[in-house]
Amino acid sequence: MFKLLKKALQVGEATVEYPFKPLEVAPGFRGKPIYNFQQCIACGACAIACPANAITMDYNLEKGIKSWKVFYGRCIFCGRCEEVCPTGAITLSPDFELAATAKEDLYCKADFRLTRCHLCGEYFVPAKELEYILAALEQAGQPGSASHITRQVMEVCPQCKRRQGIKTAVKSLPRAVGQQQGRG
Ligand code: SF4
Ligand code: SF4
């Protein structure tokens, strides 16, 4: 017994006093993802990358809202959302204490305004995402005059673009056929 006590004193404390004292985590520890609404552009890349489906995005096309939501109860702290986020809006923190008494406390949500297509009037793209892309193009050296045209093109929804593309193709068809016949 005395020998055992002596050994224990030599070894020192082998346990920690958590939860009475904060627990230090290892460098690079991946804990609760922290979300920054100001930086988020609602692009949805994190929702696509999340392997646990902890992040979801929903559209309300009647109200013109795109909703971002994370459910920490499903999160496996893999860090994929942080990796793919183009704006640094989501980062993993050292926080691992996620216990909650109500399930609702494990959600983080945000709503984003959608822009309407200027041809059909339907909501389709988050305004913040559109502005982010236009600013990126301008930074990449696109002249101001071109950015006006780019904005007009980008404010057209994919369905209208497809319809316009088909119309243009149909219009140019007789000309293309004529050229083919001329060659023949
Ligand atoms: S850390 Fe992984 S599981 Fe958690 S929200 Fe991000 S991508 Fe999803
Ligand atoms: S990837 Fe980043 S910017 Fe895009 S929706 Fe997720 S948190 Fe927001």
Side-chain angles (χ1 to χ4, degrees), residues 35 39-47 57 68 81 84-90:
Y35 175 68
Q39 276 175 252
C40 181
I41 55 168
C43 66
C46 54
M57 305 233 48
W68 181 96
C81 50
V84 299
C85 179
T87 63
I90 191 158

Side-chain angles (χ1 to χ4, degrees), residues 33 46 49-52 54-55 70 74-82 92:
C46 54
C50 178
I55 301 177
V70 62
R74 291 190 73 102
C75 179
I76 56 171
F77 314 118
C78 64
R80 282 291 292 140
C81 50
E82 183 182 302
L92 266 61

Side-chain angles (χ1 to χ4, degrees), residues 32-181:
K32 179 182 179 180
I34 301 293
Y35 175 68
N36 183 331
F37 170 73
Q38 299 302 331
Q39 276 175 252
C40 181
I41 55 168
C43 66
C46 54
I48 294 166
C50 178
N53 290 331
I55 301 177
T56 48
M57 305 233 48
D58 293 306
Y59 283 88
N60 183 331
L61 293 178
E62 275 176 22
K63 289 187 177 167
I65 301 280
K66 185 176 181 180
S67 303
W68 181 96
K69 183 168 73 181
V70 62
F71 174 47
Y72 292 119
R74 291 190 73 102
C75 179
I76 56 171
F77 314 118
C78 64
R80 282 291 292 140
C81 50
E82 183 182 302
E83 275 171 28
V84 299
C85 179
T87 63
I90 191 158
T91 46
L92 266 61
S93 71
D95 186 7
F96 61 89
E97 292 165 316
L98 299 183
T101 47
K103 193 179 172 190
E104 272 307 300
D105 295 341
L106 292 173
Y107 286 96
C108 175
K109 302 173 189 173
D111 286 342
F112 294 85
R113 194 170 50 83
L114 294 172
T115 298
R116 285 182 190 273
C117 167
H118 72 71
L119 290 183
C120 67
E122 293 291 326
Y123 288 113
F124 76 108
V125 68
K128 276 181 93 176
E129 186 181 0
L130 187 67
E131 294 308 322
Y132 177 84
I133 296 167
L134 289 169
L137 286 171
E138 208 167 310
Q139 256 185 11
Q142 179 178 247
S145 54
S147 73
H148 174 66
I149 298 164
T150 311
R151 177 179 286 276
Q152 283 201 331
V153 172
M154 294 201 57
E155 282 178 358
V156 176
C157 72
Q159 285 82 355
C160 285
K161 277 194 187 117
R162 264 197 294 278
R163 274 197 289 269
Q164 289 289 317
I166 291 166
K167 272 186 198 165
T168 312
V170 168
K171 265 188 205 162
S172 61
L173 202 58
R175 193 156 26 100
V177 170
Q179 280 168 359
Q180 287 279 340
Q181 284 171 346

